[in-house]
Amino acid sequence: MRPEDMAKGWKRFLEEESEHQWLAISLFFVFILIGAFAIHGTGKLTGMDLARESVVEDSRVLEIDYQSGGDHYSVSHTLDGTYLYKFSDGERIDIIDPRNDESASQIKFLTELNNGTIATSVNENSIMIIDDSTVSNFNLSEQRGIFNIIDLSENMDSESNSMILITDEGGHTSFRGVAVDGVPSSSMPNTDGVEWQKVEAIDNHQWIATGIDISSNSGQINNPASPEIKPVVGHIIWNGGLTAPMLAKWYTAPSGEFHSMIRMGSDMIIAGTSQTVIFHSSDLTFEHSTITSSAAVKSGCEVVWFFGPLNSESVIKWTEDGSEVIELQHRLPIEIETHGVSSDIIYMHGIDSNGEYKTLIFDDSSYGSIESGRGFLNFAFLLTFTIVFGVMGWNIIERMKF
């Protein structure tokens, strides 16, 4: 088309364009403004629901491990004592009832093993294995010492049939390895001053542990009356046998505490109240992040949610591509103490501002989905945008024809 013909075409289009077309354009821009405000207003996190703890009435959940469909094992404290129970298909089965047995008050962990059973400990040199509601005990040899078990984690190399234990050796905590023969290794000798609390496998024969370093020096030289407490992350290696595990590397943070360890591929995310640390097993390095939280939970699709303390106004959604701060519809209603995941549902147990025990349920699949307000508005905006501009483009082409 020659330039003079194109100019004539545009002149004709502008001369013949009806007032209705320009009115439609004006209304569409009004729609854009209204849609922008609506999308912004529905950009807050959806899918949360607060419920009263109902499985054991007026109970405080100390430890919990979720299975599929919301079924779970739990250690819950009540005025009657501490229960260990399984909840399945809407029915509670008490494994330890405090009216007959007070040993559940000694439980410090519930760990799911590679075969789906649950491991814990209530006695020295003994691991309790719970399969459905059947209980058995894996008793360890006392030839190499007597100790309580604070936490444990199986080797990721399932063929090795071994695990690392955090042990209470009387005056200090340490690490021991144990295999199927039930003979524990020697305890790690170089852990004085550190109270180890949690351990998780990160690779074959490698674990990450967290704890606290209690020092008597807090700005005043050797002042035991005001100890300084700092969170610690340790990289543990144990290849089996009776030789003690080795603390290969460790990192001490300046303040706060580490509360969650989440494995993401070959990395371990160690979430804390003052910072988050990522350990890369590929090159054995620690990476620091400024993300702070009171709880961190991994859901499907390699997503980690970081939740703050009571009355927080936002959460952080983290993926390997980066992090996103998302505003909550309402302030976080509980101080989270324990949590777990079943399918796409995150369960968080804690205490509200009135001192009552509550459960916060979060369906993370609802955020941004077409069923949510934000997802519906995004869909409606894109659909309307496509239709209006498609019609306008078609009209322009028709009017440009000769």
Side-chain angles (χ1 to χ4, degrees):
M1 180 181 296
R2 293 180 301 174
E4 55 270 25
D5 294 335
M6 182 177 294
K8 291 179 180 178
W10 277 107
K11 181 179 179 180
R12 178 186 172 193
F13 169 73
L14 294 174
E15 288 177 348
E16 297 183 3
E17 183 62 34
S18 68
E19 294 181 0
H20 297 290
Q21 183 78 359
W22 294 110
L23 178 61
I25 294 175
S26 300
L27 291 175
F28 178 68
F29 279 109
V30 171
F31 169 79
I32 291 177
L33 293 176
I34 296 175
F37 281 112
I39 289 175
H40 175 74
T42 55
K44 298 180 180 181
L45 191 65
T46 59
M48 283 193 174
D49 185 30
L50 187 63
R52 180 180 294 274
E53 185 62 51
S54 58
V55 176
V56 177
E57 187 176 357
D58 297 327
S59 65
R60 180 179 185 179
V61 178
L62 304 178
E63 300 288 340
I64 198 159
D65 182 272
Y66 275 93
Q67 316 287 304
S68 61
D71 294 349
H72 59 269
Y73 294 87
S74 178
V75 180
S76 296
H77 179 71
T78 70
L79 293 176
D80 297 329
T82 303
Y83 287 84
L84 169 62
Y85 68 84
K86 178 185 179 182
F87 182 77
S88 178
D89 297 327
E91 180 182 359
R92 188 186 99 201
I93 302 173
D94 291 335
I95 298 171
I96 298 179
D97 187 329
R99 293 169 294 186
N100 306 316
D101 185 353
E102 298 180 355
S103 62
S105 61
Q106 304 174 39
I107 294 177
K108 295 179 172 61
F109 67 94
L110 292 176
T111 299
E112 186 171 344
L113 302 180
N114 295 335
N115 61 5
T117 60
I118 301 296
T120 187
S121 180
V122 296
N123 297 310
E124 295 177 332
N125 290 65
S126 180
I127 300 173
M128 176 188 290
I129 307 296
I130 307 171
D131 185 0
D132 195 8
S133 56
T134 302
V135 175
S136 60
N137 291 290
F138 178 35
N139 296 315
L140 309 181
S141 171
E142 297 182 356
Q143 295 179 357
R144 306 183 71 82
I146 298 176
F147 48 82
N148 286 309
I149 301 172
I150 298 172
D151 196 16
L152 63 81
S153 177
E154 271 193 301
N155 200 330
M156 287 190 66
D157 181 4
S158 58
E159 295 183 358
S160 69
N161 292 316
S162 61
M163 63 180 67
I164 283 287
L165 315 176
I166 297 181
T167 58
D168 182 351
E169 303 287 339
H172 66 282
T173 61
S174 187
F175 296 94
R176 292 177 184 260
V178 66
V180 290
D181 59 6
V183 179
S185 73
S186 300
S187 63
M188 183 185 295
N190 57 340
T191 61
D192 291 343
V194 177
E195 181 181 323
W196 297 104
Q197 299 169 328
K198 295 292 182 182
V199 63
E200 291 286 346
I202 188 174
D203 205 342
N204 293 343
H205 311 289
Q206 298 184 55
W207 290 260
I208 295 294
T210 58
I212 54 174
D213 183 9
I214 304 175
S215 172
S216 61
N217 184 5
S218 59
Q220 302 178 19
I221 299 177
N222 297 326
N223 183 5
S226 57
E228 186 177 22
I229 300 176
K230 296 182 178 181
V232 175
V233 181
H235 175 218
I236 312 299
I237 298 175
W238 185 63
N239 292 313
L242 301 179
T243 303
M246 179 179 66
L247 181 59
K249 196 170 187 177
W250 73 350
Y251 166 78
T252 303
S255 62
E257 65 175 344
F258 293 118
H259 51 72
S260 305
M261 286 186 285
I262 301 170
R263 188 169 60 244
M264 298 284 282
S266 61
D267 297 337
M268 183 73 81
I269 298 175
I270 306 107
T273 56
S274 62
Q275 64 174 285
T276 293
V277 176
I278 303 174
F279 180 78
H280 303 283
S281 63
S282 56
D283 56 6
L284 306 182
T285 59
F286 291 102
E287 177 187 347
H288 311 130
S289 169
T290 57
I291 295 177
T292 61
S293 60
S294 294
V297 190
K298 179 183 177 182
S299 63
C301 302
E302 302 299 296
V303 175
V304 178
W305 296 90
F306 293 88
F307 297 89
L310 176 70
N311 292 323
S312 297
E313 297 181 346
S314 62
V315 300
I316 297 176
K317 180 182 179 182
W318 185 94
T319 65
E320 293 182 346
D321 297 327
S323 59
E324 175 187 4
V325 178
I326 305 173
E327 189 177 353
L328 293 169
Q329 287 186 320
H330 306 284
R331 293 175 183 269
L332 195 69
I334 63 172
E335 189 69 50
I336 302 171
E337 295 186 323
T338 57
H339 51 74
V341 180
S342 179
S343 301
D344 291 326
I345 308 297
I346 297 174
Y347 298 87
M348 293 166 280
H349 304 269
I351 305 175
D352 67 9
S353 57
N354 296 321
E356 297 183 356
Y357 304 121
K358 298 290 182 64
T359 301
L360 184 62
I361 303 171
F362 170 42
D363 181 359
D364 75 325
S365 66
S366 67
Y367 178 68
S369 68
I370 191 64
E371 292 87 356
S372 68
R374 175 64 177 268
F376 177 77
L377 284 173
N378 287 341
F379 173 75
F381 180 82
L382 291 174
L383 180 63
T384 305
F385 175 88
T386 302
I387 293 173
V388 171
F389 273 85
V391 172
M392 292 172 63
W394 177 264
N395 289 337
I396 291 174
I397 293 173
E398 288 295 316
R399 291 180 179 277
M400 292 288 292
K401 291 181 178 179
F402 292 95

PDB file of all heavy atoms in Angstrom, residues 193-223:
ATOM      1  N   GLY A 193      29.613 -27.595  75.066  1.00  0.00           N
ATOM      2  CA  GLY A 193      29.102 -26.236  74.960  1.00  0.00           C
ATOM      3  C   GLY A 193      27.927 -26.098  74.027  1.00  0.00           C
ATOM      4  O   GLY A 193      27.270 -25.059  74.010  1.00  0.00           O
ATOM      5  N   VAL A 194      27.635 -27.130  73.232  1.00  0.00           N
ATOM      6  CA  VAL A 194      26.515 -27.076  72.293  1.00  0.00           C
ATOM      7  C   VAL A 194      25.439 -28.073  72.722  1.00  0.00           C
ATOM      8  O   VAL A 194      25.720 -29.235  72.977  1.00  0.00           O
ATOM      9  CB  VAL A 194      26.958 -27.384  70.853  1.00  0.00           C
ATOM     10  CG1 VAL A 194      25.757 -27.382  69.920  1.00  0.00           C
ATOM     11  CG2 VAL A 194      27.993 -26.380  70.384  1.00  0.00           C
ATOM     12  N   GLU A 195      24.229 -27.587  72.812  1.00  0.00           N
ATOM     13  CA  GLU A 195      23.091 -28.446  73.103  1.00  0.00           C
ATOM     14  C   GLU A 195      22.370 -28.744  71.790  1.00  0.00           C
ATOM     15  O   GLU A 195      21.620 -27.927  71.275  1.00  0.00           O
ATOM     16  CB  GLU A 195      22.148 -27.746  74.084  1.00  0.00           C
ATOM     17  CG  GLU A 195      20.937 -28.584  74.472  1.00  0.00           C
ATOM     18  CD  GLU A 195      20.010 -27.852  75.425  1.00  0.00           C
ATOM     19  OE1 GLU A 195      20.512 -27.114  76.300  1.00  0.00           O
ATOM     20  OE2 GLU A 195      18.774 -28.012  75.276  1.00  0.00           O
ATOM     21  N   TRP A 196      22.631 -29.932  71.224  1.00  0.00           N
ATOM     22  CA  TRP A 196      22.042 -30.311  69.952  1.00  0.00           C
ATOM     23  C   TRP A 196      20.589 -30.734  70.163  1.00  0.00           C
ATOM     24  O   TRP A 196      20.256 -31.391  71.150  1.00  0.00           O
ATOM     25  CB  TRP A 196      22.833 -31.443  69.315  1.00  0.00           C
ATOM     26  CG  TRP A 196      24.244 -31.052  68.983  1.00  0.00           C
ATOM     27  CD1 TRP A 196      25.376 -31.394  69.650  1.00  0.00           C
ATOM     28  CD2 TRP A 196      24.655 -30.211  67.906  1.00  0.00           C
ATOM     29  NE1 TRP A 196      26.477 -30.818  69.054  1.00  0.00           N
ATOM     30  CE2 TRP A 196      26.067 -30.087  67.981  1.00  0.00           C
ATOM     31  CE3 TRP A 196      23.983 -29.542  66.879  1.00  0.00           C
ATOM     32  CZ2 TRP A 196      26.801 -29.339  67.073  1.00  0.00           C
ATOM     33  CZ3 TRP A 196      24.709 -28.790  65.967  1.00  0.00           C
ATOM     34  CH2 TRP A 196      26.105 -28.704  66.077  1.00  0.00           C
ATOM     35  N   GLN A 197      19.713 -30.355  69.195  1.00  0.00           N
ATOM     36  CA  GLN A 197      18.279 -30.553  69.389  1.00  0.00           C
ATOM     37  C   GLN A 197      17.594 -31.325  68.269  1.00  0.00           C
ATOM     38  O   GLN A 197      16.744 -32.169  68.524  1.00  0.00           O
ATOM     39  CB  GLN A 197      17.597 -29.188  69.552  1.00  0.00           C
ATOM     40  CG  GLN A 197      18.097 -28.406  70.757  1.00  0.00           C
ATOM     41  CD  GLN A 197      17.622 -26.963  70.765  1.00  0.00           C
ATOM     42  OE1 GLN A 197      17.440 -26.350  69.700  1.00  0.00           O
ATOM     43  NE2 GLN A 197      17.427 -26.404  71.942  1.00  0.00           N
ATOM     44  N   LYS A 198      17.941 -31.042  66.999  1.00  0.00           N
ATOM     45  CA  LYS A 198      17.275 -31.668  65.864  1.00  0.00           C
ATOM     46  C   LYS A 198      18.304 -32.113  64.829  1.00  0.00           C
ATOM     47  O   LYS A 198      19.341 -31.466  64.650  1.00  0.00           O
ATOM     48  CB  LYS A 198      16.279 -30.703  65.209  1.00  0.00           C
ATOM     49  CG  LYS A 198      15.094 -30.310  66.090  1.00  0.00           C
ATOM     50  CD  LYS A 198      14.173 -31.500  66.337  1.00  0.00           C
ATOM     51  CE  LYS A 198      12.972 -31.106  67.172  1.00  0.00           C
ATOM     52  NZ  LYS A 198      12.088 -32.284  67.444  1.00  0.00           N
ATOM     53  N   VAL A 199      17.969 -33.190  64.105  1.00  0.00           N
ATOM     54  CA  VAL A 199      18.852 -33.684  63.051  1.00  0.00           C
ATOM     55  C   VAL A 199      18.015 -34.192  61.886  1.00  0.00           C
ATOM     56  O   VAL A 199      16.946 -34.773  62.080  1.00  0.00           O
ATOM     57  CB  VAL A 199      19.791 -34.797  63.586  1.00  0.00           C
ATOM     58  CG1 VAL A 199      18.996 -36.012  64.062  1.00  0.00           C
ATOM     59  CG2 VAL A 199      20.828 -35.190  62.537  1.00  0.00           C
ATOM     60  N   GLU A 200      18.492 -33.919  60.655  1.00  0.00           N
ATOM     61  CA  GLU A 200      17.812 -34.360  59.430  1.00  0.00           C
ATOM     62  C   GLU A 200      18.856 -34.810  58.423  1.00  0.00           C
ATOM     63  O   GLU A 200      19.897 -34.161  58.261  1.00  0.00           O
ATOM     64  CB  GLU A 200      16.982 -33.231  58.820  1.00  0.00           C
ATOM     65  CG  GLU A 200      15.767 -32.819  59.613  1.00  0.00           C
ATOM     66  CD  GLU A 200      14.633 -33.819  59.520  1.00  0.00           C
ATOM     67  OE1 GLU A 200      14.692 -34.708  58.633  1.00  0.00           O
ATOM     68  OE2 GLU A 200      13.694 -33.717  60.327  1.00  0.00           O
ATOM     69  N   ALA A 201      18.569 -35.912  57.706  1.00  0.00           N
ATOM     70  CA  ALA A 201      19.477 -36.383  56.656  1.00  0.00           C
ATOM     71  C   ALA A 201      19.397 -35.454  55.454  1.00  0.00           C
ATOM     72  O   ALA A 201      18.320 -34.988  55.085  1.00  0.00           O
ATOM     73  CB  ALA A 201      19.113 -37.807  56.244  1.00  0.00           C
ATOM     74  N   ILE A 202      20.547 -35.185  54.837  1.00  0.00           N
ATOM     75  CA  ILE A 202      20.581 -34.363  53.640  1.00  0.00           C
ATOM     76  C   ILE A 202      21.126 -35.122  52.442  1.00  0.00           C
ATOM     77  O   ILE A 202      20.820 -34.812  51.297  1.00  0.00           O
ATOM     78  CB  ILE A 202      21.403 -33.074  53.868  1.00  0.00           C
ATOM     79  CG1 ILE A 202      21.257 -32.134  52.663  1.00  0.00           C
ATOM     80  CG2 ILE A 202      22.868 -33.401  54.165  1.00  0.00           C
ATOM     81  CD1 ILE A 202      21.904 -30.787  52.860  1.00  0.00           C
ATOM     82  N   ASP A 203      21.936 -36.146  52.679  1.00  0.00           N
ATOM     83  CA  ASP A 203      22.512 -36.950  51.598  1.00  0.00           C
ATOM     84  C   ASP A 203      22.925 -38.280  52.198  1.00  0.00           C
ATOM     85  O   ASP A 203      22.840 -38.492  53.419  1.00  0.00           O
ATOM     86  CB  ASP A 203      23.706 -36.215  50.975  1.00  0.00           C
ATOM     87  CG  ASP A 203      23.962 -36.643  49.528  1.00  0.00           C
ATOM     88  OD1 ASP A 203      23.443 -37.724  49.139  1.00  0.00           O
ATOM     89  OD2 ASP A 203      24.660 -35.935  48.793  1.00  0.00           O
ATOM     90  N   ASN A 204      23.398 -39.196  51.360  1.00  0.00           N
ATOM     91  CA  ASN A 204      23.872 -40.480  51.871  1.00  0.00           C
ATOM     92  C   ASN A 204      25.015 -40.259  52.853  1.00  0.00           C
ATOM     93  O   ASN A 204      26.015 -39.615  52.536  1.00  0.00           O
ATOM     94  CB  ASN A 204      24.353 -41.368  50.714  1.00  0.00           C
ATOM     95  CG  ASN A 204      23.211 -41.782  49.800  1.00  0.00           C
ATOM     96  OD1 ASN A 204      22.040 -41.682  50.170  1.00  0.00           O
ATOM     97  ND2 ASN A 204      23.540 -42.233  48.608  1.00  0.00           N
ATOM     98  N   HIS A 205      24.818 -40.737  54.080  1.00  0.00           N
ATOM     99  CA  HIS A 205      25.833 -40.665  55.140  1.00  0.00           C
ATOM    100  C   HIS A 205      26.121 -39.231  55.598  1.00  0.00           C
ATOM    101  O   HIS A 205      27.156 -38.984  56.215  1.00  0.00           O
ATOM    102  CB  HIS A 205      27.142 -41.334  54.689  1.00  0.00           C
ATOM    103  CG  HIS A 205      26.946 -42.698  54.098  1.00  0.00           C
ATOM    104  ND1 HIS A 205      26.588 -43.794  54.858  1.00  0.00           N
ATOM    105  CD2 HIS A 205      27.023 -43.140  52.811  1.00  0.00           C
ATOM    106  CE1 HIS A 205      26.465 -44.853  54.076  1.00  0.00           C
ATOM    107  NE2 HIS A 205      26.724 -44.489  52.825  1.00  0.00           N
ATOM    108  N   GLN A 206      25.207 -38.305  55.305  1.00  0.00           N
ATOM    109  CA  GLN A 206      25.391 -36.918  55.716  1.00  0.00           C
ATOM    110  C   GLN A 206      24.100 -36.385  56.333  1.00  0.00           C
ATOM    111  O   GLN A 206      23.008 -36.661  55.842  1.00  0.00           O
ATOM    112  CB  GLN A 206      25.790 -36.037  54.534  1.00  0.00           C
ATOM    113  CG  GLN A 206      27.115 -36.407  53.882  1.00  0.00           C
ATOM    114  CD  GLN A 206      27.492 -35.441  52.776  1.00  0.00           C
ATOM    115  OE1 GLN A 206      27.561 -34.235  52.984  1.00  0.00           O
ATOM    116  NE2 GLN A 206      27.735 -35.975  51.586  1.00  0.00           N
ATOM    117  N   TRP A 207      24.262 -35.615  57.404  1.00  0.00           N
ATOM    118  CA  TRP A 207      23.122 -35.050  58.120  1.00  0.00           C
ATOM    119  C   TRP A 207      23.386 -33.581  58.442  1.00  0.00           C
ATOM    120  O   TRP A 207      24.540 -33.127  58.477  1.00  0.00           O
ATOM    121  CB  TRP A 207      22.882 -35.788  59.434  1.00  0.00           C
ATOM    122  CG  TRP A 207      22.364 -37.186  59.289  1.00  0.00           C
ATOM    123  CD1 TRP A 207      21.080 -37.609  59.427  1.00  0.00           C
ATOM    124  CD2 TRP A 207      23.124 -38.381  58.998  1.00  0.00           C
ATOM    125  NE1 TRP A 207      20.974 -38.969  59.246  1.00  0.00           N
ATOM    126  CE2 TRP A 207      22.223 -39.471  58.979  1.00  0.00           C
ATOM    127  CE3 TRP A 207      24.481 -38.628  58.760  1.00  0.00           C
ATOM    128  CZ2 TRP A 207      22.628 -40.778  58.735  1.00  0.00           C
ATOM    129  CZ3 TRP A 207      24.890 -39.926  58.505  1.00  0.00           C
ATOM    130  CH2 TRP A 207      23.969 -40.982  58.495  1.00  0.00           C
ATOM    131  N   ILE A 208      22.303 -32.845  58.678  1.00  0.00           N
ATOM    132  CA  ILE A 208      22.381 -31.480  59.192  1.00  0.00           C
ATOM    133  C   ILE A 208      21.696 -31.465  60.554  1.00  0.00           C
ATOM    134  O   ILE A 208      20.604 -32.011  60.712  1.00  0.00           O
ATOM    135  CB  ILE A 208      21.699 -30.462  58.261  1.00  0.00           C
ATOM    136  CG1 ILE A 208      22.449 -30.388  56.931  1.00  0.00           C
ATOM    137  CG2 ILE A 208      21.644 -29.077  58.910  1.00  0.00           C
ATOM    138  CD1 ILE A 208      23.859 -29.833  57.039  1.00  0.00           C
ATOM    139  N   ALA A 209      22.349 -30.836  61.539  1.00  0.00           N
ATOM    140  CA  ALA A 209      21.798 -30.758  62.891  1.00  0.00           C
ATOM    141  C   ALA A 209      21.746 -29.308  63.340  1.00  0.00           C
ATOM    142  O   ALA A 209      22.536 -28.470  62.894  1.00  0.00           O
ATOM    143  CB  ALA A 209      22.634 -31.585  63.857  1.00  0.00           C
ATOM    144  N   THR A 210      20.789 -29.008  64.217  1.00  0.00           N
ATOM    145  CA  THR A 210      20.693 -27.672  64.790  1.00  0.00           C
ATOM    146  C   THR A 210      20.699 -27.772  66.310  1.00  0.00           C
ATOM    147  O   THR A 210      20.320 -28.796  66.895  1.00  0.00           O
ATOM    148  CB  THR A 210      19.411 -26.948  64.346  1.00  0.00           C
ATOM    149  OG1 THR A 210      18.263 -27.722  64.737  1.00  0.00           O
ATOM    150  CG2 THR A 210      19.393 -26.745  62.839  1.00  0.00           C
ATOM    151  N   GLY A 211      21.121 -26.702  66.934  1.00  0.00           N
ATOM    152  CA  GLY A 211      21.163 -26.653  68.389  1.00  0.00           C
ATOM    153  C   GLY A 211      21.475 -25.253  68.850  1.00  0.00           C
ATOM    154  O   GLY A 211      21.344 -24.285  68.089  1.00  0.00           O
ATOM    155  N   ILE A 212      21.885 -25.120  70.095  1.00  0.00           N
ATOM    156  CA  ILE A 212      22.261 -23.823  70.638  1.00  0.00           C
ATOM    157  C   ILE A 212      23.614 -23.928  71.320  1.00  0.00           C
ATOM    158  O   ILE A 212      23.935 -24.925  71.970  1.00  0.00           O
ATOM    159  CB  ILE A 212      21.198 -23.295  71.635  1.00  0.00           C
ATOM    160  CG1 ILE A 212      20.908 -24.328  72.731  1.00  0.00           C
ATOM    161  CG2 ILE A 212      19.920 -22.917  70.910  1.00  0.00           C
ATOM    162  CD1 ILE A 212      19.988 -23.805  73.820  1.00  0.00           C
ATOM    163  N   ASP A 213      24.399 -22.882  71.143  1.00  0.00           N
ATOM    164  CA  ASP A 213      25.712 -22.775  71.780  1.00  0.00           C
ATOM    165  C   ASP A 213      25.560 -21.866  72.995  1.00  0.00           C
ATOM    166  O   ASP A 213      25.231 -20.679  72.860  1.00  0.00           O
ATOM    167  CB  ASP A 213      26.726 -22.201  70.786  1.00  0.00           C
ATOM    168  CG  ASP A 213      28.130 -22.135  71.381  1.00  0.00           C
ATOM    169  OD1 ASP A 213      28.339 -22.683  72.476  1.00  0.00           O
ATOM    170  OD2 ASP A 213      29.009 -21.520  70.740  1.00  0.00           O
ATOM    171  N   ILE A 214      25.761 -22.419  74.160  1.00  0.00           N
ATOM    172  CA  ILE A 214      25.613 -21.655  75.397  1.00  0.00           C
ATOM    173  C   ILE A 214      26.987 -21.242  75.884  1.00  0.00           C
ATOM    174  O   ILE A 214      27.788 -22.075  76.309  1.00  0.00           O
ATOM    175  CB  ILE A 214      24.878 -22.471  76.473  1.00  0.00           C
ATOM    176  CG1 ILE A 214      23.526 -22.950  75.941  1.00  0.00           C
ATOM    177  CG2 ILE A 214      24.693 -21.650  77.744  1.00  0.00           C
ATOM    178  CD1 ILE A 214      22.777 -23.851  76.890  1.00  0.00           C
ATOM    179  N   SER A 215      27.256 -19.939  75.810  1.00  0.00           N
ATOM    180  CA  SER A 215      28.546 -19.403  76.213  1.00  0.00           C
ATOM    181  C   SER A 215      28.378 -18.519  77.433  1.00  0.00           C
ATOM    182  O   SER A 215      27.372 -17.817  77.583  1.00  0.00           O
ATOM    183  CB  SER A 215      29.176 -18.599  75.067  1.00  0.00           C
ATOM    184  OG  SER A 215      30.336 -17.925  75.519  1.00  0.00           O
ATOM    185  N   SER A 216      29.358 -18.534  78.324  1.00  0.00           N
ATOM    186  CA  SER A 216      29.302 -17.689  79.522  1.00  0.00           C
ATOM    187  C   SER A 216      29.781 -16.282  79.250  1.00  0.00           C
ATOM    188  O   SER A 216      29.762 -15.427  80.124  1.00  0.00           O
ATOM    189  CB  SER A 216      30.167 -18.299  80.638  1.00  0.00           C
ATOM    190  OG  SER A 216      31.524 -18.373  80.229  1.00  0.00           O
ATOM    191  N   ASN A 217      30.200 -15.996  78.015  1.00  0.00           N
ATOM    192  CA  ASN A 217      30.729 -14.668  77.679  1.00  0.00           C
ATOM    193  C   ASN A 217      29.710 -13.911  76.850  1.00  0.00           C
ATOM    194  O   ASN A 217      29.502 -14.216  75.691  1.00  0.00           O
ATOM    195  CB  ASN A 217      32.045 -14.796  76.905  1.00  0.00           C
ATOM    196  CG  ASN A 217      32.681 -13.445  76.631  1.00  0.00           C
ATOM    197  OD1 ASN A 217      32.197 -12.419  77.100  1.00  0.00           O
ATOM    198  ND2 ASN A 217      33.764 -13.456  75.881  1.00  0.00           N
ATOM    199  N   SER A 218      29.063 -12.928  77.421  1.00  0.00           N
ATOM    200  CA  SER A 218      28.055 -12.132  76.716  1.00  0.00           C
ATOM    201  C   SER A 218      28.357 -10.655  76.866  1.00  0.00           C
ATOM    202  O   SER A 218      27.547  -9.856  77.299  1.00  0.00           O
ATOM    203  CB  SER A 218      26.662 -12.436  77.247  1.00  0.00           C
ATOM    204  OG  SER A 218      26.581 -12.152  78.617  1.00  0.00           O
ATOM    205  N   GLY A 219      29.555 -10.298  76.528  1.00  0.00           N
ATOM    206  CA  GLY A 219      29.965  -8.915  76.666  1.00  0.00           C
ATOM    207  C   GLY A 219      30.746  -8.692  77.950  1.00  0.00           C
ATOM    208  O   GLY A 219      31.439  -7.703  78.107  1.00  0.00           O
ATOM    209  N   GLN A 220      30.625  -9.603  78.909  1.00  0.00           N
ATOM    210  CA  GLN A 220      31.395  -9.544  80.138  1.00  0.00           C
ATOM    211  C   GLN A 220      32.229 -10.806  80.225  1.00  0.00           C
ATOM    212  O   GLN A 220      31.746 -11.907  80.012  1.00  0.00           O
ATOM    213  CB  GLN A 220      30.466  -9.433  81.353  1.00  0.00           C
ATOM    214  CG  GLN A 220      29.547  -8.219  81.302  1.00  0.00           C
ATOM    215  CD  GLN A 220      28.618  -8.198  82.501  1.00  0.00           C
ATOM    216  OE1 GLN A 220      28.876  -8.851  83.499  1.00  0.00           O
ATOM    217  NE2 GLN A 220      27.542  -7.438  82.400  1.00  0.00           N
ATOM    218  N   ILE A 221      33.460 -10.680  80.520  1.00  0.00           N
ATOM    219  CA  ILE A 221      34.379 -11.802  80.482  1.00  0.00           C
ATOM    220  C   ILE A 221      34.000 -12.835  81.536  1.00  0.00           C
ATOM    221  O   ILE A 221      33.902 -12.531  82.734  1.00  0.00           O
ATOM    222  CB  ILE A 221      35.827 -11.319  80.692  1.00  0.00           C
ATOM    223  CG1 ILE A 221      36.213 -10.343  79.567  1.00  0.00           C
ATOM    224  CG2 ILE A 221      36.780 -12.492  80.749  1.00  0.00           C
ATOM    225  CD1 ILE A 221      37.582  -9.758  79.732  1.00  0.00           C
ATOM    226  N   ASN A 222      33.761 -14.062  81.061  1.00  0.00           N
ATOM    227  CA  ASN A 222      33.495 -15.204  81.937  1.00  0.00           C
ATOM    228  C   ASN A 222      32.433 -14.909  82.994  1.00  0.00           C
ATOM    229  O   ASN A 222      32.681 -14.999  84.201  1.00  0.00           O
ATOM    230  CB  ASN A 222      34.795 -15.667  82.611  1.00  0.00           C
ATOM    231  CG  ASN A 222      35.810 -16.156  81.598  1.00  0.00           C
ATOM    232  OD1 ASN A 222      35.439 -16.737  80.586  1.00  0.00           O
ATOM    233  ND2 ASN A 222      37.083 -15.925  81.879  1.00  0.00           N
ATOM    234  N   ASN A 223      31.271 -14.515  82.551  1.00  0.00           N
ATOM    235  CA  ASN A 223      30.170 -14.224  83.460  1.00  0.00           C
ATOM    236  C   ASN A 223      29.118 -15.312  83.331  1.00  0.00           C
ATOM    237  O   ASN A 223      28.243 -15.232  82.476  1.00  0.00           O
ATOM    238  CB  ASN A 223      29.572 -12.858  83.161  1.00  0.00           C
ATOM    239  CG  ASN A 223      28.468 -12.493  84.146  1.00  0.00           C
ATOM    240  OD1 ASN A 223      28.214 -13.220  85.096  1.00  0.00           O
ATOM    241  ND2 ASN A 223      27.833 -11.360  83.915  1.00  0.00           N
TER     242      ASN A 223
END
